[in-house]
Amino acid sequence: MKKWWIILGIACIGIILWQSISLYNKILLNRDAEQERAVQAAQNDYHLKVHQMDYYHGNQALNVLSGTSGKYGKVYALVNNKGKTKLVKQSEGLTKQQMKKYVDKNLKPKEWVNLRLGMENNQVVWEAVYLDDNGRYTFYYGDFQTGERYKKYSIKQEI
């Protein structure tokens, strides 16, 4: 009888593992397909040659494409999951390095986690994520053009 419980336990673990891998693969395929749709939408709308792609998780999920367009030059294209695109010229705002310097100078982060471009309520923002002096994860949203605070919040890290 004990042997049957062991066999049943191994079978259950095998089924759970199999389903977890299957779910993970479905999620990755879905993400890859969404990224392809975003690139296609940006190429169709702006003839964009994509150099880099990032993902933004704000009040709406966005694919953020960096590239060049013959008509607009160096640009960022922000594409939502419905294929709606917003184009922003890189020259109209702060670069990633300029935003990092702005945050370093004004907010003095203890440790950087991430810095990415995104959009909140149809306003293009830089999302700076860092650890502050109190060990809190701080999310600073700075205006794309000036770096000035759009919103900021902190989350205490509990271990």
Side-chain angles (χ1 to χ4, degrees):
M1 188 69 173
K2 189 175 183 182
K3 185 191 314 182
W4 286 107
W5 284 111
I6 293 172
I7 292 171
L8 184 63
I10 291 171
C12 286
I13 290 171
I15 290 171
I16 290 170
L17 184 62
W18 167 54
Q19 288 299 310
S20 298
I21 291 170
S22 176
L23 178 64
Y24 179 75
N25 284 332
K26 272 187 186 178
I27 290 170
L28 285 182
L29 285 174
N30 202 16
R31 185 195 66 180
D32 291 344
E34 187 173 313
Q35 288 177 344
E36 282 299 317
R37 283 193 302 269
V39 169
Q40 194 63 43
Q43 287 174 342
N44 290 342
D45 292 350
Y46 305 110
H47 304 289
L48 185 69
K49 181 179 179 187
V50 178
H51 301 297
Q52 185 178 354
M53 179 184 292
D54 201 2
Y55 198 72
Y56 176 74
H57 313 274
N59 61 3
Q60 64 175 319
L62 297 170
N63 285 292
V64 180
L65 311 173
S66 174
T68 54
S69 170
K71 185 176 181 182
Y72 302 103
K74 291 184 177 182
V75 295
Y76 296 113
L78 295 94
V79 186
N80 68 12
N81 58 1
K82 296 176 185 169
K84 184 178 175 189
T85 60
K86 178 171 181 144
L87 190 75
V88 180
K89 291 182 180 180
Q90 291 181 12
S91 61
E92 291 178 352
L94 299 177
T95 65
K96 192 172 190 173
Q97 292 79 17
Q98 289 171 326
M99 186 62 189
K100 189 173 187 309
K101 283 181 185 176
Y102 179 90
V103 172
D104 283 337
K105 179 182 174 188
N106 296 308
L107 303 170
K108 299 173 181 47
K110 183 177 178 182
E111 179 183 336
W112 276 95
V113 177
N114 199 355
L115 178 62
R116 67 177 70 194
L117 191 68
M119 189 163 49
E120 292 288 324
N121 301 318
N122 290 325
Q123 182 174 344
V124 181
V125 295
W126 282 107
E127 178 191 57
V129 183
Y130 60 90
L131 289 172
D132 66 10
D133 289 333
N134 297 326
R136 299 176 298 185
Y137 277 96
T138 301
F139 295 79
Y140 176 84
Y141 296 86
D143 181 66
F144 172 68
Q145 295 176 334
T146 64
E148 291 179 6
R149 179 178 162 168
Y150 177 73
K151 72 177 177 179
K152 176 181 172 183
Y153 61 91
S154 298
I155 300 172
K156 185 162 174 82
Q157 180 182 8
E158 295 290 333
I159 298 177

